[in-house]
Each structure stands twice: as C-alpha cells, then as structure tokens.
Amino acid sequence: VLWDETCSIYRIKQKIEEQFSMFLRVSFGSIHPTIKKMEKDKYLTVKSTISPGGQKKLSYTITLKGKKYFEELMLEDLSDNPSITNQQINIKLLGLPKLNVDFYKPVLKSMLIFLEKQKISITNNLNKHSSEDEKFYRNLMKYQIKKVSDDIQWINSFIPR
C-alpha cells in the first residue's frame, strides 16, 4: 500500500479497501496499532505536517527495511489452514507486482506446492468415501479438486519461463 507513495492513515485505509476488499475488511482501530508497530520496527517513517486548515497531518512512508521485510513475508511459507492460505495466496498475488521479477518464481512456486498438497489431500479423502450415500460429499470433493487444479493452472501461467 505504501510501496509507491507516502500516505495518511485515511489514504492507507482507502487503498487497502480498494485492493483487498474482496477478502479483507479493515478499520482504523486495526490499522493504527499496525502502523505504530511498523514505525517502531523501522519499517515505516512518519512525517508530521500542519494542513492548510491548521490540523496536524501524519504521513507514512515505507523504508528500505520495510521493503525488505515485505519481500521476506512474500517468500514465507503458507499456512497449513486452507481458509487462511487462500487469503494469503490472494494477498501475495496482489502484492506480486511490487516485487522484482526475480521474486515471482519462488513466491508462485510456494503457492503451487501448497495447492498440489491440497489437491492430494482432497483426492485421498475422496477415495475414502466411496458409498452411494455420500454422493453429495463426493461431488463436493470433486468440485474442490477441479477448483484447485484450475488454480494450479492459473498460477502456473504467471511463472516466468
């Protein structure tokens, strides 16, 4: 959110809502402590100015240390929890254009490894449920396998050759 510009907390919230609203909701109450922690950790700098109306305005800028930390987060392993991982994948895909192209391959490969494991796990579960009574459950698992397979194919399309 701060990669390309200095922003006020209001602009930070607006950019998060614009970029991540499909799977994330934020409030000033969650943004403010995060900004304070990032400032304390020297991932952000803050500049105080007085607006034309006489009000104090704080502007935040990402530091080089903050950019390096972002790169580290992008390379971190994904969670084992599928609901969290799907959110992590979405966030990483949205953050990918901010990175140097050299980072694309390892970030995307980590996503593919997770999805391949997820596909194997769902397939194994499908094979355990073979009775006709479990038809709905089997169809749901087949749908999930198809969805994960499509995700794998889609993510593969982004990997630089």
Side-chain angles (χ1 to χ4, degrees):
V1 173
L2 292 172
W3 199 269
D4 301 321
E5 68 178 295
T6 297
C7 298
S8 67
I9 192 169
Y10 300 100
R11 181 69 180 129
I12 290 170
K13 183 178 186 300
Q14 184 181 36
K15 286 179 79 171
I16 291 171
E17 288 172 347
E18 288 169 2
Q19 295 176 21
F20 303 102
S21 65
M22 63 195 107
F23 50 85
L24 184 65
R25 299 277 183 258
V26 294
S27 67
F28 290 116
S30 61
I31 295 172
H32 191 264
T34 303
I35 286 175
K36 288 295 174 198
K37 179 171 178 5
M38 291 176 75
E39 182 185 354
K40 180 180 170 246
D41 293 340
K42 307 227 184 293
Y43 299 141
L44 299 177
T45 57
V46 62
K47 181 180 176 186
S48 180
T49 57
I50 302 297
S51 72
Q55 291 188 329
K56 182 178 173 182
K57 179 182 175 188
L58 299 177
S59 298
Y60 300 93
T61 306
I62 191 168
T63 63
L64 183 58
K65 182 178 178 180
K67 288 183 177 187
K68 294 282 185 203
Y69 182 63
F70 176 76
E71 291 170 350
E72 289 171 22
L73 289 174
M74 290 290 286
L75 292 169
E76 263 187 12
D77 289 339
L78 297 167
S79 168
D80 288 333
N81 181 331
S83 60
I84 293 172
T85 303
N86 290 331
Q87 194 173 35
Q88 286 176 317
I89 287 173
N90 288 332
I91 291 168
K92 285 184 179 200
L93 287 172
L94 287 169
L96 208 56
K98 302 295 182 192
L99 296 176
N100 180 303
V101 74
D102 295 338
F103 280 90
Y104 281 39
K105 204 170 198 170
V107 171
L108 294 170
K109 286 284 187 188
S110 73
M111 292 177 198
L112 289 171
I113 289 167
F114 170 81
L115 291 170
E116 289 289 352
K117 287 179 184 176
Q118 189 178 35
K119 184 178 172 183
I120 290 167
S121 175
I122 297 167
T123 302
N124 289 339
N125 273 335
L126 176 63
N127 293 333
K128 291 178 189 174
H129 299 277
S130 58
S131 76
E132 195 58 35
D133 295 338
E134 298 172 317
K135 189 172 185 173
F136 175 79
Y137 187 70
R138 288 181 54 74
N139 285 338
L140 179 61
M141 285 189 284
K142 287 178 184 176
Y143 166 77
Q144 289 296 324
I145 291 168
K146 168 79 170 107
K147 187 175 172 295
V148 171
S149 296
D150 289 347
D151 288 348
I152 290 168
Q153 183 178 359
W154 186 72
I155 290 172
N156 263 319
S157 72
F158 290 104
I159 296 177
R161 304 287 176 215

